[in-house]
């Protein structure tokens, strides 16, 4: 399942992801860079935050983790990368919830 939340900048997307991750301990989050991981997310969640990496390496890391949901905080990925990511996760029955701003 894919859920997309298109919200304006500064509307609390990261705050919402943090709340949802605290409620679901089996969820992971993909962020575009390490600055977001270290400055926006609390320390107790950082072990479940994945920073943008090459798709094959990401899929290897995701396969080795036990999780049911993947939150994506900001869509700064190419459309091709996202299509491949969604396809791979869909094949593995992983729920994907995207929080981003359409530009």
């Amino acid at each position: 399942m894919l859920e997309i939340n298109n919200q304006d900048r500064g509307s609390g997307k990261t705050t919402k992801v943090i709340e949802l991750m605290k409620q679901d301990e089996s969820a992971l989050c993909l962020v575009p860079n390490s600055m977001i991981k270290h400055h926006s997310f609390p320390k107790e969640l950082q072990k479940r935050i994945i920073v943008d990496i090459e798709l094959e390496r990401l899929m290897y890391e995701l396969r080795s983790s036990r999780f049911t949901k993947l939150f994506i905080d900001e869509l700064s990925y190419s459309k091709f990368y996202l299509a491949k990511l969604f396809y791979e996760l869909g094949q593995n029955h992983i729920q994907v919830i995207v929080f981003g701003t359409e530009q």
Side-chain angles (χ1 to χ4, degrees):
M1 182 178 115
L2 174 62
E3 178 182 327
I4 297 177
N5 297 285
N6 181 17
Q7 297 174 279
D8 293 331
R9 295 238 178 257
S11 63
K13 295 180 298 291
T14 301
T15 303
K16 181 69 174 173
V17 170
I18 290 168
E19 289 173 15
L20 293 170
M21 287 187 70
K22 286 180 178 179
Q23 293 172 11
D24 186 349
E25 295 198 10
S26 67
L28 299 178
C29 181
L30 179 63
V31 297
N33 63 59
S34 60
M35 293 293 287
I36 292 173
K37 174 182 178 176
H38 295 293
H39 294 292
S40 299
F41 287 86
K43 292 269 188 223
E44 69 268 12
L45 295 180
Q46 289 186 11
K47 64 184 177 283
R48 296 191 287 139
I49 306 294
I50 301 168
V51 177
D52 177 28
I53 55 178
E54 193 266 328
L55 183 62
E56 282 74 27
R57 198 168 132 221
L58 172 62
M59 292 313 300
Y60 174 79
E61 190 167 329
L62 293 177
R63 283 185 200 112
S64 65
S65 302
R66 291 190 164 270
F67 70 103
T68 58
K69 285 183 193 166
L70 177 68
F71 296 108
I72 299 178
D73 190 9
E74 275 310 329
L75 291 171
S76 64
Y77 304 103
S78 74
K79 291 178 183 178
F80 182 73
Y81 181 94
L82 286 172
K84 284 179 71 175
L85 177 63
F86 294 155
Y87 176 78
E88 290 286 332
L89 293 169
Q91 280 190 318
N92 293 304
H93 308 288
I94 303 298
Q95 183 179 2
V96 180
I97 303 170
V98 179
F99 289 87
T101 303
E102 186 177 2
Q103 297 181 16

